[in-house]
Every structure is written in structure tokens, then in C-alpha cells.
Amino acid sequence: MTVVDTSRVRAPGERGSDFAKLSRRIAQAGLLDKRPGYYTARIGLVAGLFAGSWALFAAIGDSWWQVPVAVLLAVAFAQVTLLAHDLAHGQISRSRRTSRMAGLLVGNLAVGLSYGWWMDKHTRHHANPNHEDHDPDVSPEVLVWSENQAAGAGRVAKIIGRWQAFLFFPLLTLEGLNLKVASFRALRRESLKNRRVEGLLLVAHNLAYLGAVFLVLSPGKALVFLAVHLAGYGVYLGCTFAPNHKGMPVLTAEDELDFLRRQVLTSRNVRGGRLVTTALGGLNYQIEHHLFPSMPTANLRKAQPIVSDYCRSIGVDYAECGLFASWGQALRHLHEVGRPLRAGSRRSQDW
């Protein structure tokens, strides 16, 4: 694990803390203000892409030309999911009730993703990013993210973890299906709010989704369409979220960091201009997003120079690189932490 600076540990709400000083600068610049015009335009464009993809699907009919439509629809589903992400963080509306209602429609009904389950999971990630005990995104169920996890890995993680860097992208093709399955499994939790509504919307989505595909396409083409669409959806989301934290320091209970350092030192920004920002839904400004989760996506770019300059002024590392470089760092990290598993496998074979 990379050693991180713990010399300035203060509570995030303390008036003189490093985060409090940065937060005042951001607030004075007006970057926490809502952006209704931006979100009106973005919602319109994403809704047009989503509806247009389904209209194209209906127009083409029973044809193998539906394969590229499946890819286009995967992009549309991912962009809708990124909007659900912004709703969950309160970036679009100040009203929690409005955000939740819109999130259920956008998440559960439109793309078949449990909004309540994902919001709970993502909130825990934000509270403890890259913490091997508390961040569900680095849970060692299939992949291992640290040498500590490799030492205590279960059977499946031990097998996959040996070559997980090479298996990472192939495994992402299953993530779209995994999200749907996990959404239904979450309905068994009594802690999930509005379980009945969530369940009804998930069932409605899947009946409409599968019904449309098998009504228009022959069984063989329908199965190929579903495979391509869900695989593309999973890879898109994986390539959106993986560059942000994978390959950055993994924290343990021994790491006592203040709020600012906990968020900045475990996050990575991705360069690339407006095209990358559009493709990643603004999550390429991951450091700014983690520091100010409710900040509208359109303001993250403006906050970036303020945050980066401030981090440099107080001696906090601020990680930033290109998209492909970020994937490379993530894969090298996965390969490195899998080394003990490969070594253990060779010892077993020698024995």
C-alpha cells in the first residue's frame, strides 16, 4: 500500500480544517449553485438518445443489423444511469423527494437498476473510498484490491485473482447482468425503502424490455441482442468508474485521514476534454466530485483548477492522467496485488 500523509487530521466540519477553507472558496465562486439549464439540456439529449435507440430498434425489425443497435442502446442505458447517479447526489434538484421519484423512474423503470440499492451502496463508497473494510466497490468477492485481501481471499477470488488484470475487461461484460440480478436480490432487504414500488418498477422494466426484444426478433437474434447489449452496458459502466479509484491507495483501519485527504488521495482525475467529460458523465473530475458530491456536473470543470491549486499549496498529492493511462494504472495494480496468489499457486504445483 502507498504511504499517505496523515499529518493534518481534522474533522471536515472544523472551521479551520483544510476542507473547510477549500469549501469556502468553492462556495464563494458559486460552484455549488444548481444548473437547471444545463440539466434541462442534458436530460433532453439523453432522453432523445434513449427513445431514438428504441425507435431505431422498432424500425429495423428482425435483422442482424440490430447488433449495432444493441451497442447504441448500451450507450443510452449508460447515459441514463449516469443521470440517475446525479439525481442520487442531489445535483439536479434540492428536493430529496423529487430526486427519489425521478431516480426510481430513471433507474428502476428505464434501465432496470434498483435506485435505492445502488444509492445505498454508492453512499457507503463515498464515505470510505477505497477502504478495504468499508467500501463495497473494493469488496473481494471476485477480484482482490490489496495484498491483505489476497491473503484472506475466498476460493473464487483466489482462482480469478491470479490473473485478474487479464480477466478484468472480460468480467465487465457480465456487469450489466449482475446489476439486474443484484437489483432483484436487494428487494429481499427490509432496510430497502419503497421495496414494493421498486419491485413493481423493476418487473415492469424487464417485462417491457424482454417483451420488446422477443416480440421483434427471432429467438436466436434476440439472445444475441441481449448478450451484446448487456455486455456493452457493463463494459461502458466499468470503463467509466474504474479509472477513478482503481490503482490508487487502498486504505485500512490503520489509516486515519481527514475528509479532504481521504477523498483526494484515493481518487484520480482523467484528462481528455469535453468528449471524455460527456462520455464519463463528468466523473473524470472524480476528485472534485468526491469532495463536493452535490456539485452539478457542469461546475466540476470550473472547480478543478481551484482544487488542484489548493491541494498543491497544502502538500497533498493530486492525481491526474489520461484515460488510457488510468486504465493501465488500474490493470497494473490488479496484477501486482495478485502476485501472492500466483506465487502460492506455483508453490502448490511444485509440492
Side-chain angles (χ1 to χ4, degrees):
M1 175 188 153
T2 302
V3 177
V4 293
D5 174 23
T6 60
S7 61
R8 300 193 183 200
V9 181
R10 290 188 181 128
E14 187 180 340
R15 181 171 178 78
S17 71
D18 290 328
F19 175 72
K21 295 174 183 176
L22 173 62
S23 184
R24 286 194 289 272
R25 295 187 187 183
I26 292 294
Q28 289 169 0
L31 298 179
L32 298 178
D33 297 343
K34 299 304 178 188
R35 296 287 300 272
Y38 163 78
Y39 275 111
T40 298
R42 181 175 166 188
I43 290 171
L45 290 172
V46 172
L49 174 63
F50 186 80
S53 298
W54 280 118
L56 185 60
F57 170 83
I60 291 177
D62 189 17
S63 167
W64 286 109
W65 283 107
Q66 293 285 17
V67 173
V69 176
V71 176
L72 178 64
L73 197 60
V75 174
F77 266 51
Q79 285 293 322
V80 171
T81 303
L82 290 170
L83 271 179
H85 167 271
D86 288 12
L87 281 165
H89 281 296
Q91 296 179 20
I92 300 177
S93 172
R94 296 186 186 279
S95 169
R96 291 186 179 182
R97 185 172 183 272
T98 299
S99 296
R100 177 171 288 277
M101 291 176 61
L104 289 171
L105 293 175
V106 170
N108 293 58
L109 186 60
V111 298
L113 174 65
S114 170
Y115 177 77
W117 163 75
W118 182 86
M119 184 176 178
D120 173 71
K121 175 176 177 287
H122 196 62
T123 298
R124 287 184 285 125
H125 157 71
H126 266 264
N128 292 283
N130 263 26
H131 194 293
E132 63 179 25
D133 296 323
H134 303 304
D135 184 355
D137 288 352
V138 292
S139 174
E141 295 176 359
V142 177
L143 304 176
V144 294
W145 305 99
S146 69
E147 292 188 5
N148 287 339
Q149 289 184 342
R155 185 170 183 176
V156 173
K158 280 185 177 179
I159 295 172
I160 294 178
R162 296 167 189 168
W163 306 107
Q164 59 186 8
F166 300 97
L167 297 173
F168 180 70
F169 284 107
L171 285 171
L172 286 181
T173 62
L174 302 175
E175 183 61 18
L177 178 61
N178 176 58
L179 290 174
K180 289 183 175 293
V181 172
S183 294
F184 274 102
R185 290 177 61 186
L187 296 176
R188 296 182 296 183
R189 301 179 184 175
E190 294 185 2
S191 60
L192 182 67
K193 296 180 180 179
N194 304 310
R195 281 196 297 169
R196 181 174 296 181
V197 174
E198 290 232 9
L200 288 173
L201 291 175
L202 287 175
V203 169
H205 163 82
N206 282 283
L207 287 176
Y209 173 65
L210 295 174
V213 172
F214 282 98
L215 182 65
V216 172
L217 302 177
S218 62
K221 292 188 183 75
L223 291 175
V224 172
F225 181 92
L226 291 173
V228 172
H229 174 243
L230 290 174
Y233 179 45
V235 171
Y236 192 129
L237 288 182
C239 290
T240 299
F241 287 92
N244 304 331
H245 301 283
K246 309 314 179 192
M248 299 303 291
V250 177
L251 306 181
T252 69
E254 298 176 355
D255 297 301
E256 298 180 359
L257 300 177
D258 66 344
F259 177 79
L260 183 144
R261 285 162 180 78
R262 187 165 68 248
Q263 303 299 335
V264 174
L265 296 173
T266 59
S267 303
R268 177 196 298 115
N269 275 17
V270 178
R271 302 189 192 99
R274 294 187 182 277
L275 179 61
V276 170
T277 299
T278 300
L280 303 188
L283 295 182
N284 49 316
Y285 296 107
Q286 189 67 193
I287 294 173
E288 289 71 30
H289 171 60
H290 260 257
L291 288 171
F292 304 98
S294 64
M295 180 183 290
T297 295
N299 290 345
L300 294 173
R301 177 177 60 86
K302 298 177 181 179
Q304 191 274 334
I306 299 174
V307 174
S308 61
D309 289 346
Y310 183 77
C311 286
R312 277 190 285 271
S313 72
I314 62 174
V316 174
D317 290 340
Y318 182 98
E320 189 176 24
C321 66
L323 182 61
F324 293 107
S326 70
W327 292 342
Q329 290 179 28
L331 294 176
R332 285 192 295 272
H333 172 78
L334 285 172
H335 194 62
E336 181 61 28
V337 298
R339 185 187 302 274
L341 297 176
R342 294 191 296 276
S345 175
R346 285 194 293 270
R347 284 195 296 269
S348 298
Q349 292 173 357
D350 291 343
W351 177 261

